Amino acid sequence: SMKNTILMNAQEVAEELGVSKASAYKMIHVWNEKLQKMGYTTVSGRVSRKYFLEQFYGLTEKEVI
C-alpha cells in the first residue's frame, strides 16, 4: 500500500507499477523534467504522488482522497 506522503520514491513507483527500480528512476526523471518545464520545483529521485496518480490512473486530487 502507498504511504500517505506528498512525494513518492523510486521504490514506491516500482512496486506500484510492477517495474524495476531502474525503470522507475527513468520515469521519475522524465516526469520531473516535464514538471520543471511547467514551473514546478522537483526533488531528484522523487515524484509528486498527485502527478503520478494523474499520469497513470487519470485520477484527480478529489478522487484520491
Side-chain angles (χ1 to χ4, degrees):
S1 70
M2 290 192 282
K3 297 177 186 172
N4 200 13
T5 58
I6 293 171
L7 299 176
M8 293 177 73
N9 63 32
Q11 183 65 41
E12 290 176 280
V13 172
E15 289 174 5
E16 181 69 16
L17 300 178
V19 299
S20 71
K21 199 169 174 182
S23 293
Y25 273 116
K26 288 177 188 175
M27 286 188 260
I28 289 170
H29 180 74
V30 170
W31 293 330
N32 281 341
E33 283 183 338
K34 289 180 182 179
L35 287 166
Q36 287 171 359
K37 287 178 183 175
M38 293 173 9
Y40 291 99
T41 301
T42 62
V43 177
S44 182
R46 304 265 195 266
V47 68
S48 158
R49 184 173 306 280
K50 179 180 181 283
Y51 187 75
F52 169 83
L53 292 169
E54 288 171 354
Q55 292 301 299
F56 267 89
Y57 302 110
L59 296 176
T60 65
E61 191 171 6
K62 292 177 186 172
E63 293 169 321
V64 173
I65 297 172

